[in-house]
Amino acid sequence: MHIPRADSGTEQLLAAAGCAAGLCGLAAGRSYSGGGAYPGVSLTCPLPGVPKAVFAAAESRERFETRVTVLENGLRVASQNKFGQFCTVGVLVNSGSRHEAKYLSGISHFLEKLAFCSTAQFGSKDEILLTLEKHGGICDCQASRDTIMYAVSADARGLDTVVNLLADVTLQPRLSDEEIEMTRMAIRFELEDLNMRPDPEPLLTEMIHAAAFRDNTVGLNRFCPVENTDKIDRDVLHSYLSSYFTPDRMVLAGVGIEHEHLVECARKYLLGVEPVWGSGQGRAVDRSVAQYTGGIIKVEKDMSDVSLGPTPIPELTHIMIGLESCSFLEDDFIPFAVLNMMMGGGGSFSAGGPGKGMFTRLYLNVLNRHHWMYNATSYHHSYEDTGLLCIHASADPKQVREMVEIITREFILMAGAVGEVELERAKTQLKSMLMMNLESRPVIFEDVGRQVLATNTRKLPHELCDLISQVKPSDIKRVVTKMLHKKPAVAALGDLTDLPTYEHIQAALSSKDGRLPRLYRLFR
């Protein structure tokens, strides 16, 4: 807000009056006694000839609310004020690997790699990058299980160019044979790299989803299978795009720009545009609801030479155990988020420090007590119709059985007593993480886009903080009790000689103490 300034003489007078009031503690009604200019004037009355002071005040809440406009073709335009020279603008599409049941698996992976390549207006990726450079811009595309996101961060004065570019990238990609062949090579390399990484967390996340939601929706593979790389071509991509890249399944979101300007650009470049694949109806959109199945997926793999060198990572077996939680649209989503923060965890070589979660349960009860445990971390994945709370643990292959029992016991203990101190700490930590993440403009953009795509509106941070503050120990116990009635999902990677059977893991999660059934062997 612009504050009108008084002339220098008046400023000195106001400063003098302020100092006098502050130093002398003048009571209301006491006369001004500086002598000279205003003898006998009460400090409770405005000074003659001095303009009325205009004070800076907190902006009205409306100024910071996310504004949403729906265009005639169904496209939603959402914006959030954030002051600064740069803005982040992008298109989010309600499309991802969960929608590929009727198509070849891996289309979303291909589209992610083909983003920001040649279009109707731009002859190559280099041309796009040069256009963005004029506005100090960068671009990125990310495909997840339920969303594909095209984003650009650039100088706010280049908004017109940015929206024009985004419209061309999403609706007019050329998808040339050369670009598709380069994408095939990039995907093959990425799949090789995925299997060679010392950290198998992305691979385990795929496996736990496949086990939990076998052959449906979020259980479908996010990465393109090797056998499909040669089968996906322009016709397959156009067939998919004609079904899912429609205006009613898109949100144009922006942070750091005026809403009216963004709507104007959306009308100019995204209204009445004929996509390159034509406007004919594609196949029916897959509106399947996620079906939780539970189950186990095991991959026997030699992990002894994953990381060689001066400080090699020891041979480890990785286990992930998960149970169905809830969707992010349900009220129980907040208690589950608090529970995930309360479990926390991490690697056994963390340096600690404030905010590292060293007082979370998986540190106190697992990593601090069992020195041979290499890792124990809690994860919470949530979607519009389901969710998955899981714990990833890794240890030496000889101690797999003991490791699994420790994790199953932690799941059972979740339903026990929740200390007031640990609950308050988890809630404070969750609010802190939320607020710190939302200081980043790209994170605000993704939050705005995803919430508007799912609900047509956005919950503001202070509303979420209020909901987090309201979580009680009884809420944690209620959601955990409900969760423990489901079949577990298990993913196992490495040397699995001593891995307990799925039935034994299920029995442990159904017991009172979380212990695995005893094994009686004649010979050891």
mmCIF file of all heavy atoms in Angstrom, residues 280-316:
data_model
loop_
_atom_site.group_PDB
_atom_site.id
_atom_site.type_symbol
_atom_site.label_atom_id
_atom_site.label_comp_id
_atom_site.label_asym_id
_atom_site.label_seq_id
_atom_site.Cartn_x
_atom_site.Cartn_y
_atom_site.Cartn_z
ATOM 1 N N GLY A 280 -12.401 -34.307 -31.959
ATOM 2 C CA GLY A 280 -13.299 -35.471 -31.884
ATOM 3 C C GLY A 280 -13.165 -36.168 -30.545
ATOM 4 O O GLY A 280 -12.109 -36.134 -29.909
ATOM 5 N N GLN A 281 -14.225 -36.832 -30.115
ATOM 6 C CA GLN A 281 -14.217 -37.520 -28.819
ATOM 7 C C GLN A 281 -13.304 -38.736 -28.861
ATOM 8 O O GLN A 281 -13.358 -39.545 -29.780
ATOM 9 C CB GLN A 281 -15.640 -37.964 -28.452
ATOM 10 C CG GLN A 281 -16.511 -36.851 -27.894
ATOM 11 C CD GLN A 281 -15.976 -36.307 -26.577
ATOM 12 O OE1 GLN A 281 -15.674 -37.053 -25.665
ATOM 13 N NE2 GLN A 281 -15.844 -34.989 -26.491
ATOM 14 N N GLY A 282 -12.434 -38.858 -27.890
ATOM 15 C CA GLY A 282 -11.588 -40.045 -27.766
ATOM 16 C C GLY A 282 -12.362 -41.131 -27.044
ATOM 17 O O GLY A 282 -13.599 -41.117 -27.000
ATOM 18 N N ARG A 283 -11.638 -42.062 -26.460
ATOM 19 C CA ARG A 283 -12.292 -43.118 -25.677
ATOM 20 C C ARG A 283 -12.887 -42.512 -24.412
ATOM 21 O O ARG A 283 -12.501 -41.433 -23.990
ATOM 22 C CB ARG A 283 -11.275 -44.183 -25.282
ATOM 23 C CG ARG A 283 -10.633 -44.891 -26.454
ATOM 24 C CD ARG A 283 -9.778 -46.042 -25.932
ATOM 25 N NE ARG A 283 -8.777 -46.443 -26.916
ATOM 26 C CZ ARG A 283 -7.902 -47.419 -26.717
ATOM 27 N NH1 ARG A 283 -7.895 -48.070 -25.575
ATOM 28 N NH2 ARG A 283 -7.015 -47.724 -27.634
ATOM 29 N N ALA A 284 -13.804 -43.262 -23.818
ATOM 30 C CA ALA A 284 -14.431 -42.780 -22.588
ATOM 31 C C ALA A 284 -13.373 -42.633 -21.499
ATOM 32 O O ALA A 284 -12.453 -43.452 -21.380
ATOM 33 C CB ALA A 284 -15.514 -43.751 -22.138
ATOM 34 N N VAL A 285 -13.499 -41.574 -20.714
ATOM 35 C CA VAL A 285 -12.542 -41.315 -19.628
ATOM 36 C C VAL A 285 -12.703 -42.380 -18.536
ATOM 37 O O VAL A 285 -13.824 -42.740 -18.163
ATOM 38 C CB VAL A 285 -12.784 -39.903 -19.049
ATOM 39 C CG1 VAL A 285 -11.991 -39.696 -17.771
ATOM 40 C CG2 VAL A 285 -12.415 -38.850 -20.074
ATOM 41 N N ASP A 286 -11.582 -42.889 -18.043
ATOM 42 C CA ASP A 286 -11.599 -43.906 -16.982
ATOM 43 C C ASP A 286 -11.859 -43.226 -15.638
ATOM 44 O O ASP A 286 -11.014 -42.503 -15.128
ATOM 45 C CB ASP A 286 -10.245 -44.627 -16.977
ATOM 46 C CG ASP A 286 -10.200 -45.770 -15.962
ATOM 47 O OD1 ASP A 286 -11.210 -45.972 -15.269
ATOM 48 O OD2 ASP A 286 -9.161 -46.445 -15.870
ATOM 49 N N ARG A 287 -13.034 -43.459 -15.097
ATOM 50 C CA ARG A 287 -13.381 -42.858 -13.794
ATOM 51 C C ARG A 287 -13.380 -43.905 -12.675
ATOM 52 O O ARG A 287 -14.080 -43.777 -11.671
ATOM 53 C CB ARG A 287 -14.761 -42.181 -13.872
ATOM 54 C CG ARG A 287 -14.810 -41.093 -14.944
ATOM 55 C CD ARG A 287 -16.092 -40.277 -14.882
ATOM 56 N NE ARG A 287 -16.237 -39.421 -16.048
ATOM 57 C CZ ARG A 287 -15.642 -38.241 -16.199
ATOM 58 N NH1 ARG A 287 -14.862 -37.790 -15.242
ATOM 59 N NH2 ARG A 287 -15.818 -37.523 -17.291
ATOM 60 N N SER A 288 -12.589 -44.956 -12.843
ATOM 61 C CA SER A 288 -12.522 -46.032 -11.843
ATOM 62 C C SER A 288 -12.094 -45.504 -10.482
ATOM 63 O O SER A 288 -11.224 -44.638 -10.394
ATOM 64 C CB SER A 288 -11.525 -47.107 -12.282
ATOM 65 O OG SER A 288 -11.826 -47.579 -13.559
ATOM 66 N N VAL A 289 -12.718 -46.053 -9.440
ATOM 67 C CA VAL A 289 -12.329 -45.718 -8.063
ATOM 68 C C VAL A 289 -11.306 -46.754 -7.615
ATOM 69 O O VAL A 289 -11.435 -47.949 -7.914
ATOM 70 C CB VAL A 289 -13.563 -45.732 -7.140
ATOM 71 C CG1 VAL A 289 -13.157 -45.512 -5.684
ATOM 72 C CG2 VAL A 289 -14.558 -44.678 -7.585
ATOM 73 N N ALA A 290 -10.280 -46.314 -6.920
ATOM 74 C CA ALA A 290 -9.208 -47.211 -6.474
ATOM 75 C C ALA A 290 -9.757 -48.339 -5.605
ATOM 76 O O ALA A 290 -10.551 -48.091 -4.691
ATOM 77 C CB ALA A 290 -8.155 -46.421 -5.704
ATOM 78 N N GLN A 291 -9.340 -49.566 -5.904
ATOM 79 C CA GLN A 291 -9.753 -50.745 -5.127
ATOM 80 C C GLN A 291 -8.537 -51.279 -4.374
ATOM 81 O O GLN A 291 -7.595 -51.784 -4.984
ATOM 82 C CB GLN A 291 -10.308 -51.829 -6.066
ATOM 83 C CG GLN A 291 -11.480 -51.394 -6.912
ATOM 84 C CD GLN A 291 -12.695 -51.025 -6.078
ATOM 85 O OE1 GLN A 291 -13.047 -51.745 -5.137
ATOM 86 N NE2 GLN A 291 -13.330 -49.919 -6.403
ATOM 87 N N TYR A 292 -8.572 -51.156 -3.054
ATOM 88 C CA TYR A 292 -7.445 -51.641 -2.246
ATOM 89 C C TYR A 292 -7.532 -53.161 -2.155
ATOM 90 O O TYR A 292 -8.555 -53.716 -1.761
ATOM 91 C CB TYR A 292 -7.485 -51.015 -0.857
ATOM 92 C CG TYR A 292 -6.349 -51.448 0.040
ATOM 93 C CD1 TYR A 292 -5.101 -50.850 -0.067
ATOM 94 C CD2 TYR A 292 -6.514 -52.462 0.975
ATOM 95 C CE1 TYR A 292 -4.042 -51.248 0.747
ATOM 96 C CE2 TYR A 292 -5.467 -52.872 1.791
ATOM 97 C CZ TYR A 292 -4.236 -52.256 1.666
ATOM 98 O OH TYR A 292 -3.189 -52.668 2.457
ATOM 99 N N THR A 293 -6.445 -53.843 -2.527
ATOM 100 C CA THR A 293 -6.442 -55.307 -2.508
ATOM 101 C C THR A 293 -5.519 -55.872 -1.429
ATOM 102 O O THR A 293 -5.781 -56.934 -0.880
ATOM 103 C CB THR A 293 -5.970 -55.855 -3.878
ATOM 104 O OG1 THR A 293 -4.644 -55.361 -4.144
ATOM 105 C CG2 THR A 293 -6.906 -55.416 -4.999
ATOM 106 N N GLY A 294 -4.422 -55.148 -1.129
ATOM 107 C CA GLY A 294 -3.405 -55.715 -0.256
ATOM 108 C C GLY A 294 -2.678 -56.830 -0.991
ATOM 109 O O GLY A 294 -3.090 -57.262 -2.072
ATOM 110 N N GLY A 295 -1.584 -57.308 -0.428
ATOM 111 C CA GLY A 295 -0.826 -58.374 -1.077
ATOM 112 C C GLY A 295 0.662 -58.129 -0.932
ATOM 113 O O GLY A 295 1.085 -57.204 -0.234
ATOM 114 N N ILE A 296 1.443 -58.978 -1.581
ATOM 115 C CA ILE A 296 2.905 -58.881 -1.453
ATOM 116 C C ILE A 296 3.561 -58.936 -2.831
ATOM 117 O O ILE A 296 3.104 -59.657 -3.722
ATOM 118 C CB ILE A 296 3.450 -60.008 -0.536
ATOM 119 C CG1 ILE A 296 4.959 -59.834 -0.288
ATOM 120 C CG2 ILE A 296 3.155 -61.385 -1.114
ATOM 121 C CD1 ILE A 296 5.512 -60.706 0.833
ATOM 122 N N ILE A 297 4.604 -58.149 -3.009
ATOM 123 C CA ILE A 297 5.433 -58.213 -4.213
ATOM 124 C C ILE A 297 6.880 -58.352 -3.758
ATOM 125 O O ILE A 297 7.379 -57.542 -2.971
ATOM 126 C CB ILE A 297 5.249 -56.965 -5.102
ATOM 127 C CG1 ILE A 297 3.869 -57.029 -5.766
ATOM 128 C CG2 ILE A 297 6.355 -56.867 -6.152
ATOM 129 C CD1 ILE A 297 3.596 -55.953 -6.769
ATOM 130 N N LYS A 298 7.518 -59.441 -4.227
ATOM 131 C CA LYS A 298 8.897 -59.735 -3.817
ATOM 132 C C LYS A 298 9.805 -59.700 -5.044
ATOM 133 O O LYS A 298 9.449 -60.244 -6.094
ATOM 134 C CB LYS A 298 8.982 -61.111 -3.151
ATOM 135 C CG LYS A 298 8.133 -61.248 -1.903
ATOM 136 C CD LYS A 298 8.395 -62.547 -1.173
ATOM 137 C CE LYS A 298 7.728 -63.713 -1.860
ATOM 138 N NZ LYS A 298 7.828 -64.964 -1.059
ATOM 139 N N VAL A 299 10.962 -59.077 -4.887
ATOM 140 C CA VAL A 299 11.971 -59.081 -5.952
ATOM 141 C C VAL A 299 13.300 -59.522 -5.336
ATOM 142 O O VAL A 299 13.909 -58.787 -4.555
ATOM 143 C CB VAL A 299 12.116 -57.686 -6.604
ATOM 144 C CG1 VAL A 299 13.251 -57.706 -7.629
ATOM 145 C CG2 VAL A 299 10.816 -57.260 -7.269
ATOM 146 N N GLU A 300 13.706 -60.757 -5.661
ATOM 147 C CA GLU A 300 15.003 -61.267 -5.198
ATOM 148 C C GLU A 300 16.101 -60.578 -6.012
ATOM 149 O O GLU A 300 16.079 -60.614 -7.239
ATOM 150 C CB GLU A 300 15.072 -62.777 -5.410
ATOM 151 C CG GLU A 300 14.249 -63.569 -4.419
ATOM 152 C CD GLU A 300 15.046 -63.981 -3.191
ATOM 153 O OE1 GLU A 300 16.219 -63.569 -3.096
ATOM 154 O OE2 GLU A 300 14.489 -64.691 -2.343
ATOM 155 N N LYS A 301 17.047 -59.954 -5.332
ATOM 156 C CA LYS A 301 18.072 -59.196 -6.043
ATOM 157 C C LYS A 301 19.355 -59.184 -5.225
ATOM 158 O O LYS A 301 19.318 -59.008 -3.997
ATOM 159 C CB LYS A 301 17.568 -57.763 -6.272
ATOM 160 C CG LYS A 301 18.449 -56.918 -7.167
ATOM 161 C CD LYS A 301 17.846 -55.532 -7.346
ATOM 162 C CE LYS A 301 18.746 -54.634 -8.149
ATOM 163 N NZ LYS A 301 18.250 -53.249 -8.222
ATOM 164 N N ASP A 302 20.486 -59.356 -5.912
ATOM 165 C CA ASP A 302 21.783 -59.288 -5.234
ATOM 166 C C ASP A 302 22.143 -57.817 -5.015
ATOM 167 O O ASP A 302 22.407 -57.081 -5.965
ATOM 168 C CB ASP A 302 22.838 -59.978 -6.091
ATOM 169 C CG ASP A 302 24.220 -59.932 -5.436
ATOM 170 O OD1 ASP A 302 24.291 -59.585 -4.236
ATOM 171 O OD2 ASP A 302 25.217 -60.234 -6.120
ATOM 172 N N MET A 303 22.125 -57.385 -3.752
ATOM 173 C CA MET A 303 22.396 -55.979 -3.425
ATOM 174 C C MET A 303 23.813 -55.801 -2.871
ATOM 175 O O MET A 303 24.132 -54.754 -2.320
ATOM 176 C CB MET A 303 21.386 -55.471 -2.381
ATOM 177 C CG MET A 303 19.925 -55.679 -2.752
ATOM 178 S SD MET A 303 19.328 -54.498 -3.947
ATOM 179 C CE MET A 303 18.977 -53.097 -2.907
ATOM 180 N N SER A 304 24.669 -56.818 -3.035
ATOM 181 C CA SER A 304 25.995 -56.752 -2.411
ATOM 182 C C SER A 304 26.934 -55.778 -3.114
ATOM 183 O O SER A 304 27.873 -55.281 -2.504
ATOM 184 C CB SER A 304 26.621 -58.148 -2.380
ATOM 185 O OG SER A 304 26.723 -58.656 -3.701
ATOM 186 N N ASP A 305 26.696 -55.520 -4.414
ATOM 187 C CA ASP A 305 27.607 -54.635 -5.139
ATOM 188 C C ASP A 305 26.904 -53.387 -5.664
ATOM 189 O O ASP A 305 27.301 -52.812 -6.667
ATOM 190 C CB ASP A 305 28.256 -55.388 -6.305
ATOM 191 C CG ASP A 305 27.211 -55.930 -7.274
ATOM 192 O OD1 ASP A 305 26.009 -55.854 -6.930
ATOM 193 O OD2 ASP A 305 27.584 -56.428 -8.348
ATOM 194 N N VAL A 306 25.865 -52.959 -4.966
ATOM 195 C CA VAL A 306 25.102 -51.787 -5.406
ATOM 196 C C VAL A 306 25.945 -50.530 -5.344
ATOM 197 O O VAL A 306 25.907 -49.685 -6.223
ATOM 198 C CB VAL A 306 23.817 -51.626 -4.554
ATOM 199 C CG1 VAL A 306 23.216 -50.240 -4.723
ATOM 200 C CG2 VAL A 306 22.798 -52.662 -4.957
ATOM 201 N N SER A 307 26.732 -50.385 -4.281
ATOM 202 C CA SER A 307 27.535 -49.160 -4.121
ATOM 203 C C SER A 307 28.954 -49.532 -3.717
ATOM 204 O O SER A 307 29.229 -49.755 -2.550
ATOM 205 C CB SER A 307 26.891 -48.262 -3.068
ATOM 206 O OG SER A 307 27.704 -47.164 -2.793
ATOM 207 N N LEU A 308 29.833 -49.618 -4.706
ATOM 208 C CA LEU A 308 31.238 -49.906 -4.414
ATOM 209 C C LEU A 308 32.000 -48.597 -4.268
ATOM 210 O O LEU A 308 31.507 -47.538 -4.617
ATOM 211 C CB LEU A 308 31.822 -50.751 -5.546
ATOM 212 C CG LEU A 308 31.107 -52.086 -5.789
ATOM 213 C CD1 LEU A 308 31.663 -52.746 -7.026
ATOM 214 C CD2 LEU A 308 31.260 -53.010 -4.586
ATOM 215 N N GLY A 309 33.207 -48.678 -3.767
ATOM 216 C CA GLY A 309 33.990 -47.456 -3.592
ATOM 217 C C GLY A 309 34.661 -47.429 -2.235
ATOM 218 O O GLY A 309 34.647 -48.410 -1.494
ATOM 219 N N PRO A 310 35.225 -46.286 -1.857
ATOM 220 C CA PRO A 310 35.944 -46.200 -0.572
ATOM 221 C C PRO A 310 35.034 -46.431 0.628
ATOM 222 O O PRO A 310 35.468 -46.955 1.642
ATOM 223 C CB PRO A 310 36.523 -44.782 -0.568
ATOM 224 C CG PRO A 310 35.802 -44.045 -1.651
ATOM 225 C CD PRO A 310 35.319 -45.041 -2.630
ATOM 226 N N THR A 311 33.771 -46.013 0.529
ATOM 227 C CA THR A 311 32.828 -46.239 1.649
ATOM 228 C C THR A 311 31.572 -46.907 1.092
ATOM 229 O O THR A 311 30.520 -46.262 0.957
ATOM 230 C CB THR A 311 32.459 -44.917 2.341
ATOM 231 O OG1 THR A 311 31.988 -43.992 1.335
ATOM 232 C CG2 THR A 311 33.636 -44.333 3.075
ATOM 233 N N PRO A 312 31.634 -48.175 0.741
ATOM 234 C CA PRO A 312 30.476 -48.837 0.131
ATOM 235 C C PRO A 312 29.329 -49.010 1.121
ATOM 236 O O PRO A 312 29.548 -49.174 2.322
ATOM 237 C CB PRO A 312 31.026 -50.195 -0.301
ATOM 238 C CG PRO A 312 32.194 -50.430 0.598
ATOM 239 C CD PRO A 312 32.758 -49.086 0.910
ATOM 240 N N ILE A 313 28.111 -48.945 0.591
ATOM 241 C CA ILE A 313 26.934 -49.206 1.417
ATOM 242 C C ILE A 313 26.865 -50.714 1.646
ATOM 243 O O ILE A 313 27.050 -51.491 0.700
ATOM 244 C CB ILE A 313 25.650 -48.699 0.707
ATOM 245 C CG1 ILE A 313 25.681 -47.174 0.614
ATOM 246 C CG2 ILE A 313 24.404 -49.172 1.429
ATOM 247 C CD1 ILE A 313 24.536 -46.570 -0.172
ATOM 248 N N PRO A 314 26.637 -51.178 2.867
ATOM 249 C CA PRO A 314 26.586 -52.629 3.115
ATOM 250 C C PRO A 314 25.418 -53.275 2.370
ATOM 251 O O PRO A 314 24.468 -52.589 1.964
ATOM 252 C CB PRO A 314 26.388 -52.707 4.637
ATOM 253 C CG PRO A 314 25.806 -51.393 5.025
ATOM 254 C CD PRO A 314 26.376 -50.396 4.075
ATOM 255 N N GLU A 315 25.488 -54.579 2.203
ATOM 256 C CA GLU A 315 24.375 -55.289 1.557
ATOM 257 C C GLU A 315 23.144 -55.215 2.462
ATOM 258 O O GLU A 315 23.221 -55.535 3.648
ATOM 259 C CB GLU A 315 24.743 -56.756 1.308
ATOM 260 C CG GLU A 315 23.642 -57.494 0.578
ATOM 261 C CD GLU A 315 23.924 -58.976 0.391
ATOM 262 O OE1 GLU A 315 25.034 -59.424 0.751
ATOM 263 O OE2 GLU A 315 23.029 -59.662 -0.111
ATOM 264 N N LEU A 316 22.037 -54.769 1.905
ATOM 265 C CA LEU A 316 20.817 -54.575 2.696
ATOM 266 C C LEU A 316 19.631 -55.260 2.038
ATOM 267 O O LEU A 316 19.589 -55.419 0.814
ATOM 268 C CB LEU A 316 20.504 -53.077 2.826
ATOM 269 C CG LEU A 316 21.535 -52.192 3.516
ATOM 270 C CD1 LEU A 316 21.182 -50.727 3.337
ATOM 271 C CD2 LEU A 316 21.646 -52.538 4.991
#
